[in-house]
Amino acid sequence: ESLFAESALDVLKRRIRLNLELGRRKTSVRASEAYRERLFPGHPFGYSLTEADLEHVTAHRLVDFYHGNLKAQ
């Protein structure tokens, strides 16, 4: 059973996509991403979220992650 509606996740994903699109237009955001990529190569701190990443996020995968990693046993 999902902990939240798929529609709520869709709203969040649309909001994140919009933020990513707006960020691509800002020089400061692009510079910050490039700086972190060079400062932390191969490390999560150097990774920036992409629209392709969002395609892999589903309610089912989030619930599985929660049960496998966060839920108290």
Side-chain angles (χ1 to χ4, degrees):
E1 179 179 315
S2 180
L3 300 175
F4 52 86
E6 187 78 35
S7 60
L9 178 60
D10 290 339
V11 169
L12 290 172
K13 287 169 68 172
R14 277 195 303 271
R15 195 175 297 163
I16 292 169
R17 278 190 194 96
L18 178 60
N19 286 335
L20 289 172
E21 181 181 329
L22 293 173
R24 280 194 303 267
R25 297 179 188 176
K26 295 182 177 182
T27 304
S28 61
V29 172
R30 293 193 318 264
S32 176
E33 289 177 350
Y35 177 75
R36 285 182 290 133
E37 287 172 7
R38 285 170 180 76
L39 187 61
F40 303 107
H43 189 277
F45 287 168
Y47 184 79
S48 297
L49 183 70
T50 67
E51 289 182 11
D53 295 326
L54 289 177
E55 297 305 317
H56 298 289
V57 177
T58 65
H60 179 73
R61 290 183 82 176
L62 290 174
V63 171
D64 284 349
F65 179 83
Y66 170 78
H67 286 294
N69 297 285
L70 303 174
K71 186 176 180 183
Q73 299 295 327

PDB file of all heavy atoms in Angstrom, residues 44-68:
ATOM      1  N   PRO A  44      28.778  11.803  -4.346  1.00  0.00           N
ATOM      2  CA  PRO A  44      27.410  12.346  -4.416  1.00  0.00           C
ATOM      3  C   PRO A  44      27.333  13.869  -4.284  1.00  0.00           C
ATOM      4  O   PRO A  44      26.428  14.487  -4.849  1.00  0.00           O
ATOM      5  CB  PRO A  44      26.692  11.659  -3.251  1.00  0.00           C
ATOM      6  CG  PRO A  44      27.424  10.379  -3.075  1.00  0.00           C
ATOM      7  CD  PRO A  44      28.868  10.702  -3.396  1.00  0.00           C
ATOM      8  N   PHE A  45      28.261  14.492  -3.566  1.00  0.00           N
ATOM      9  CA  PHE A  45      28.253  15.955  -3.448  1.00  0.00           C
ATOM     10  C   PHE A  45      28.475  16.623  -4.807  1.00  0.00           C
ATOM     11  O   PHE A  45      28.076  17.759  -5.020  1.00  0.00           O
ATOM     12  CB  PHE A  45      29.329  16.446  -2.490  1.00  0.00           C
ATOM     13  CG  PHE A  45      29.046  16.185  -1.043  1.00  0.00           C
ATOM     14  CD1 PHE A  45      30.050  16.363  -0.116  1.00  0.00           C
ATOM     15  CD2 PHE A  45      27.817  15.759  -0.588  1.00  0.00           C
ATOM     16  CE1 PHE A  45      29.825  16.133   1.240  1.00  0.00           C
ATOM     17  CE2 PHE A  45      27.567  15.524   0.750  1.00  0.00           C
ATOM     18  CZ  PHE A  45      28.582  15.710   1.663  1.00  0.00           C
ATOM     19  N   GLY A  46      29.115  15.922  -5.721  1.00  0.00           N
ATOM     20  CA  GLY A  46      29.400  16.485  -7.026  1.00  0.00           C
ATOM     21  C   GLY A  46      28.343  16.176  -8.064  1.00  0.00           C
ATOM     22  O   GLY A  46      28.474  16.554  -9.215  1.00  0.00           O
ATOM     23  N   TYR A  47      27.282  15.495  -7.652  1.00  0.00           N
ATOM     24  CA  TYR A  47      26.233  15.095  -8.591  1.00  0.00           C
ATOM     25  C   TYR A  47      25.062  16.071  -8.532  1.00  0.00           C
ATOM     26  O   TYR A  47      24.651  16.495  -7.453  1.00  0.00           O
ATOM     27  CB  TYR A  47      25.738  13.684  -8.266  1.00  0.00           C
ATOM     28  CG  TYR A  47      24.735  13.183  -9.258  1.00  0.00           C
ATOM     29  CD1 TYR A  47      25.146  12.700 -10.490  1.00  0.00           C
ATOM     30  CD2 TYR A  47      23.386  13.221  -8.975  1.00  0.00           C
ATOM     31  CE1 TYR A  47      24.228  12.254 -11.421  1.00  0.00           C
ATOM     32  CE2 TYR A  47      22.458  12.783  -9.895  1.00  0.00           C
ATOM     33  CZ  TYR A  47      22.886  12.294 -11.115  1.00  0.00           C
ATOM     34  OH  TYR A  47      21.982  11.868 -12.032  1.00  0.00           O
ATOM     35  N   SER A  48      24.530  16.411  -9.685  1.00  0.00           N
ATOM     36  CA  SER A  48      23.352  17.266  -9.770  1.00  0.00           C
ATOM     37  C   SER A  48      22.189  16.467 -10.341  1.00  0.00           C
ATOM     38  O   SER A  48      22.352  15.705 -11.302  1.00  0.00           O
ATOM     39  CB  SER A  48      23.632  18.464 -10.675  1.00  0.00           C
ATOM     40  OG  SER A  48      24.647  19.262 -10.128  1.00  0.00           O
ATOM     41  N   LEU A  49      21.027  16.644  -9.774  1.00  0.00           N
ATOM     42  CA  LEU A  49      19.815  15.974 -10.216  1.00  0.00           C
ATOM     43  C   LEU A  49      19.482  16.382 -11.644  1.00  0.00           C
ATOM     44  O   LEU A  49      19.633  17.546 -12.017  1.00  0.00           O
ATOM     45  CB  LEU A  49      18.658  16.360  -9.291  1.00  0.00           C
ATOM     46  CG  LEU A  49      17.312  15.706  -9.561  1.00  0.00           C
ATOM     47  CD1 LEU A  49      17.370  14.222  -9.211  1.00  0.00           C
ATOM     48  CD2 LEU A  49      16.235  16.395  -8.758  1.00  0.00           C
ATOM     49  N   THR A  50      19.035  15.428 -12.440  1.00  0.00           N
ATOM     50  CA  THR A  50      18.626  15.703 -13.813  1.00  0.00           C
ATOM     51  C   THR A  50      17.173  15.280 -14.011  1.00  0.00           C
ATOM     52  O   THR A  50      16.607  14.538 -13.195  1.00  0.00           O
ATOM     53  CB  THR A  50      19.500  14.939 -14.825  1.00  0.00           C
ATOM     54  OG1 THR A  50      19.241  13.532 -14.680  1.00  0.00           O
ATOM     55  CG2 THR A  50      20.974  15.227 -14.625  1.00  0.00           C
ATOM     56  N   GLU A  51      16.587  15.730 -15.107  1.00  0.00           N
ATOM     57  CA  GLU A  51      15.224  15.316 -15.426  1.00  0.00           C
ATOM     58  C   GLU A  51      15.154  13.801 -15.653  1.00  0.00           C
ATOM     59  O   GLU A  51      14.157  13.168 -15.329  1.00  0.00           O
ATOM     60  CB  GLU A  51      14.716  16.070 -16.641  1.00  0.00           C
ATOM     61  CG  GLU A  51      14.449  17.529 -16.341  1.00  0.00           C
ATOM     62  CD  GLU A  51      13.898  18.285 -17.535  1.00  0.00           C
ATOM     63  OE1 GLU A  51      13.529  17.640 -18.544  1.00  0.00           O
ATOM     64  OE2 GLU A  51      13.832  19.519 -17.453  1.00  0.00           O
ATOM     65  N   ALA A  52      16.200  13.238 -16.206  1.00  0.00           N
ATOM     66  CA  ALA A  52      16.234  11.787 -16.420  1.00  0.00           C
ATOM     67  C   ALA A  52      16.163  11.036 -15.090  1.00  0.00           C
ATOM     68  O   ALA A  52      15.548   9.970 -15.006  1.00  0.00           O
ATOM     69  CB  ALA A  52      17.490  11.396 -17.183  1.00  0.00           C
ATOM     70  N   ASP A  53      16.769  11.597 -14.052  1.00  0.00           N
ATOM     71  CA  ASP A  53      16.699  10.973 -12.729  1.00  0.00           C
ATOM     72  C   ASP A  53      15.255  10.892 -12.247  1.00  0.00           C
ATOM     73  O   ASP A  53      14.848   9.905 -11.617  1.00  0.00           O
ATOM     74  CB  ASP A  53      17.514  11.764 -11.701  1.00  0.00           C
ATOM     75  CG  ASP A  53      19.000  11.764 -11.978  1.00  0.00           C
ATOM     76  OD1 ASP A  53      19.515  10.746 -12.485  1.00  0.00           O
ATOM     77  OD2 ASP A  53      19.640  12.787 -11.688  1.00  0.00           O
ATOM     78  N   LEU A  54      14.494  11.931 -12.517  1.00  0.00           N
ATOM     79  CA  LEU A  54      13.101  11.970 -12.065  1.00  0.00           C
ATOM     80  C   LEU A  54      12.258  10.882 -12.709  1.00  0.00           C
ATOM     81  O   LEU A  54      11.283  10.412 -12.106  1.00  0.00           O
ATOM     82  CB  LEU A  54      12.481  13.333 -12.367  1.00  0.00           C
ATOM     83  CG  LEU A  54      12.974  14.493 -11.530  1.00  0.00           C
ATOM     84  CD1 LEU A  54      12.313  15.783 -11.997  1.00  0.00           C
ATOM     85  CD2 LEU A  54      12.714  14.276 -10.061  1.00  0.00           C
ATOM     86  N   GLU A  55      12.612  10.478 -13.908  1.00  0.00           N
ATOM     87  CA  GLU A  55      11.843   9.438 -14.599  1.00  0.00           C
ATOM     88  C   GLU A  55      11.905   8.111 -13.846  1.00  0.00           C
ATOM     89  O   GLU A  55      10.998   7.299 -13.963  1.00  0.00           O
ATOM     90  CB  GLU A  55      12.347   9.264 -16.033  1.00  0.00           C
ATOM     91  CG  GLU A  55      12.172  10.491 -16.895  1.00  0.00           C
ATOM     92  CD  GLU A  55      10.733  10.983 -16.939  1.00  0.00           C
ATOM     93  OE1 GLU A  55       9.810  10.147 -17.069  1.00  0.00           O
ATOM     94  OE2 GLU A  55      10.531  12.208 -16.835  1.00  0.00           O
ATOM     95  N   HIS A  56      12.954   7.915 -13.075  1.00  0.00           N
ATOM     96  CA  HIS A  56      13.122   6.661 -12.337  1.00  0.00           C
ATOM     97  C   HIS A  56      12.431   6.673 -10.981  1.00  0.00           C
ATOM     98  O   HIS A  56      12.383   5.651 -10.301  1.00  0.00           O
ATOM     99  CB  HIS A  56      14.614   6.358 -12.153  1.00  0.00           C
ATOM    100  CG  HIS A  56      15.329   6.166 -13.443  1.00  0.00           C
ATOM    101  ND1 HIS A  56      15.171   5.072 -14.253  1.00  0.00           N
ATOM    102  CD2 HIS A  56      16.209   6.972 -14.095  1.00  0.00           C
ATOM    103  CE1 HIS A  56      15.913   5.186 -15.331  1.00  0.00           C
ATOM    104  NE2 HIS A  56      16.548   6.342 -15.260  1.00  0.00           N
ATOM    105  N   VAL A  57      11.911   7.816 -10.579  1.00  0.00           N
ATOM    106  CA  VAL A  57      11.245   7.928  -9.281  1.00  0.00           C
ATOM    107  C   VAL A  57       9.772   7.588  -9.453  1.00  0.00           C
ATOM    108  O   VAL A  57       9.056   8.235 -10.205  1.00  0.00           O
ATOM    109  CB  VAL A  57      11.391   9.359  -8.694  1.00  0.00           C
ATOM    110  CG1 VAL A  57      10.634   9.470  -7.381  1.00  0.00           C
ATOM    111  CG2 VAL A  57      12.849   9.712  -8.503  1.00  0.00           C
ATOM    112  N   THR A  58       9.350   6.542  -8.746  1.00  0.00           N
ATOM    113  CA  THR A  58       7.940   6.140  -8.757  1.00  0.00           C
ATOM    114  C   THR A  58       7.493   5.941  -7.321  1.00  0.00           C
ATOM    115  O   THR A  58       8.323   5.751  -6.418  1.00  0.00           O
ATOM    116  CB  THR A  58       7.725   4.824  -9.521  1.00  0.00           C
ATOM    117  OG1 THR A  58       8.399   3.767  -8.828  1.00  0.00           O
ATOM    118  CG2 THR A  58       8.218   4.914 -10.961  1.00  0.00           C
ATOM    119  N   ALA A  59       6.182   5.973  -7.114  1.00  0.00           N
ATOM    120  CA  ALA A  59       5.644   5.746  -5.769  1.00  0.00           C
ATOM    121  C   ALA A  59       6.065   4.366  -5.274  1.00  0.00           C
ATOM    122  O   ALA A  59       6.458   4.212  -4.111  1.00  0.00           O
ATOM    123  CB  ALA A  59       4.129   5.885  -5.781  1.00  0.00           C
ATOM    124  N   HIS A  60       6.012   3.384  -6.146  1.00  0.00           N
ATOM    125  CA  HIS A  60       6.386   2.015  -5.752  1.00  0.00           C
ATOM    126  C   HIS A  60       7.851   1.949  -5.303  1.00  0.00           C
ATOM    127  O   HIS A  60       8.164   1.343  -4.268  1.00  0.00           O
ATOM    128  CB  HIS A  60       6.135   1.058  -6.919  1.00  0.00           C
ATOM    129  CG  HIS A  60       6.518  -0.351  -6.627  1.00  0.00           C
ATOM    130  ND1 HIS A  60       5.783  -1.161  -5.796  1.00  0.00           N
ATOM    131  CD2 HIS A  60       7.580  -1.081  -7.040  1.00  0.00           C
ATOM    132  CE1 HIS A  60       6.385  -2.340  -5.710  1.00  0.00           C
ATOM    133  NE2 HIS A  60       7.467  -2.319  -6.459  1.00  0.00           N
ATOM    134  N   ARG A  61       8.740   2.577  -6.055  1.00  0.00           N
ATOM    135  CA  ARG A  61      10.167   2.554  -5.697  1.00  0.00           C
ATOM    136  C   ARG A  61      10.417   3.299  -4.382  1.00  0.00           C
ATOM    137  O   ARG A  61      11.253   2.886  -3.579  1.00  0.00           O
ATOM    138  CB  ARG A  61      11.009   3.141  -6.814  1.00  0.00           C
ATOM    139  CG  ARG A  61      11.036   2.231  -8.049  1.00  0.00           C
ATOM    140  CD  ARG A  61      11.903   2.767  -9.106  1.00  0.00           C
ATOM    141  NE  ARG A  61      13.274   2.387  -8.776  1.00  0.00           N
ATOM    142  CZ  ARG A  61      14.313   2.641  -9.543  1.00  0.00           C
ATOM    143  NH1 ARG A  61      14.142   3.296 -10.667  1.00  0.00           N
ATOM    144  NH2 ARG A  61      15.507   2.269  -9.187  1.00  0.00           N
ATOM    145  N   LEU A  62       9.707   4.394  -4.162  1.00  0.00           N
ATOM    146  CA  LEU A  62       9.866   5.130  -2.906  1.00  0.00           C
ATOM    147  C   LEU A  62       9.400   4.302  -1.712  1.00  0.00           C
ATOM    148  O   LEU A  62      10.054   4.275  -0.667  1.00  0.00           O
ATOM    149  CB  LEU A  62       9.103   6.452  -2.960  1.00  0.00           C
ATOM    150  CG  LEU A  62       9.669   7.514  -3.882  1.00  0.00           C
ATOM    151  CD1 LEU A  62       8.726   8.703  -3.947  1.00  0.00           C
ATOM    152  CD2 LEU A  62      11.048   7.951  -3.425  1.00  0.00           C
ATOM    153  N   VAL A  63       8.276   3.633  -1.867  1.00  0.00           N
ATOM    154  CA  VAL A  63       7.762   2.794  -0.781  1.00  0.00           C
ATOM    155  C   VAL A  63       8.725   1.642  -0.520  1.00  0.00           C
ATOM    156  O   VAL A  63       9.026   1.318   0.639  1.00  0.00           O
ATOM    157  CB  VAL A  63       6.343   2.280  -1.106  1.00  0.00           C
ATOM    158  CG1 VAL A  63       5.885   1.228  -0.109  1.00  0.00           C
ATOM    159  CG2 VAL A  63       5.360   3.455  -1.123  1.00  0.00           C
ATOM    160  N   ASP A  64       9.240   1.013  -1.580  1.00  0.00           N
ATOM    161  CA  ASP A  64      10.217  -0.066  -1.410  1.00  0.00           C
ATOM    162  C   ASP A  64      11.462   0.433  -0.679  1.00  0.00           C
ATOM    163  O   ASP A  64      11.978  -0.244   0.216  1.00  0.00           O
ATOM    164  CB  ASP A  64      10.625  -0.658  -2.757  1.00  0.00           C
ATOM    165  CG  ASP A  64       9.566  -1.573  -3.338  1.00  0.00           C
ATOM    166  OD1 ASP A  64       8.599  -1.919  -2.618  1.00  0.00           O
ATOM    167  OD2 ASP A  64       9.698  -1.935  -4.523  1.00  0.00           O
ATOM    168  N   PHE A  65      11.949   1.623  -1.059  1.00  0.00           N
ATOM    169  CA  PHE A  65      13.119   2.195  -0.391  1.00  0.00           C
ATOM    170  C   PHE A  65      12.817   2.445   1.077  1.00  0.00           C
ATOM    171  O   PHE A  65      13.630   2.131   1.953  1.00  0.00           O
ATOM    172  CB  PHE A  65      13.544   3.497  -1.074  1.00  0.00           C
ATOM    173  CG  PHE A  65      14.733   4.135  -0.418  1.00  0.00           C
ATOM    174  CD1 PHE A  65      16.016   3.715  -0.738  1.00  0.00           C
ATOM    175  CD2 PHE A  65      14.576   5.131   0.526  1.00  0.00           C
ATOM    176  CE1 PHE A  65      17.127   4.279  -0.123  1.00  0.00           C
ATOM    177  CE2 PHE A  65      15.676   5.706   1.147  1.00  0.00           C
ATOM    178  CZ  PHE A  65      16.946   5.283   0.821  1.00  0.00           C
ATOM    179  N   TYR A  66      11.658   2.992   1.355  1.00  0.00           N
ATOM    180  CA  TYR A  66      11.273   3.264   2.744  1.00  0.00           C
ATOM    181  C   TYR A  66      11.268   1.979   3.574  1.00  0.00           C
ATOM    182  O   TYR A  66      11.856   1.925   4.654  1.00  0.00           O
ATOM    183  CB  TYR A  66       9.886   3.923   2.776  1.00  0.00           C
ATOM    184  CG  TYR A  66       9.307   4.015   4.163  1.00  0.00           C
ATOM    185  CD1 TYR A  66       9.740   4.998   5.046  1.00  0.00           C
ATOM    186  CD2 TYR A  66       8.333   3.127   4.594  1.00  0.00           C
ATOM    187  CE1 TYR A  66       9.220   5.081   6.328  1.00  0.00           C
ATOM    188  CE2 TYR A  66       7.809   3.208   5.865  1.00  0.00           C
ATOM    189  CZ  TYR A  66       8.251   4.187   6.733  1.00  0.00           C
ATOM    190  OH  TYR A  66       7.739   4.255   7.992  1.00  0.00           O
ATOM    191  N   HIS A  67      10.613   0.953   3.065  1.00  0.00           N
ATOM    192  CA  HIS A  67      10.516  -0.305   3.814  1.00  0.00           C
ATOM    193  C   HIS A  67      11.875  -0.993   3.940  1.00  0.00           C
ATOM    194  O   HIS A  67      12.155  -1.623   4.966  1.00  0.00           O
ATOM    195  CB  HIS A  67       9.508  -1.239   3.168  1.00  0.00           C
ATOM    196  CG  HIS A  67       8.090  -0.830   3.386  1.00  0.00           C
ATOM    197  ND1 HIS A  67       7.491  -0.825   4.618  1.00  0.00           N
ATOM    198  CD2 HIS A  67       7.159  -0.377   2.518  1.00  0.00           C
ATOM    199  CE1 HIS A  67       6.239  -0.400   4.517  1.00  0.00           C
ATOM    200  NE2 HIS A  67       6.019  -0.097   3.244  1.00  0.00           N
ATOM    201  N   GLY A  68      12.715  -0.853   2.937  1.00  0.00           N
ATOM    202  CA  GLY A  68      14.005  -1.521   2.968  1.00  0.00           C
ATOM    203  C   GLY A  68      15.086  -0.767   3.732  1.00  0.00           C
ATOM    204  O   GLY A  68      16.067  -1.371   4.174  1.00  0.00           O
TER     205      GLY A  68
END
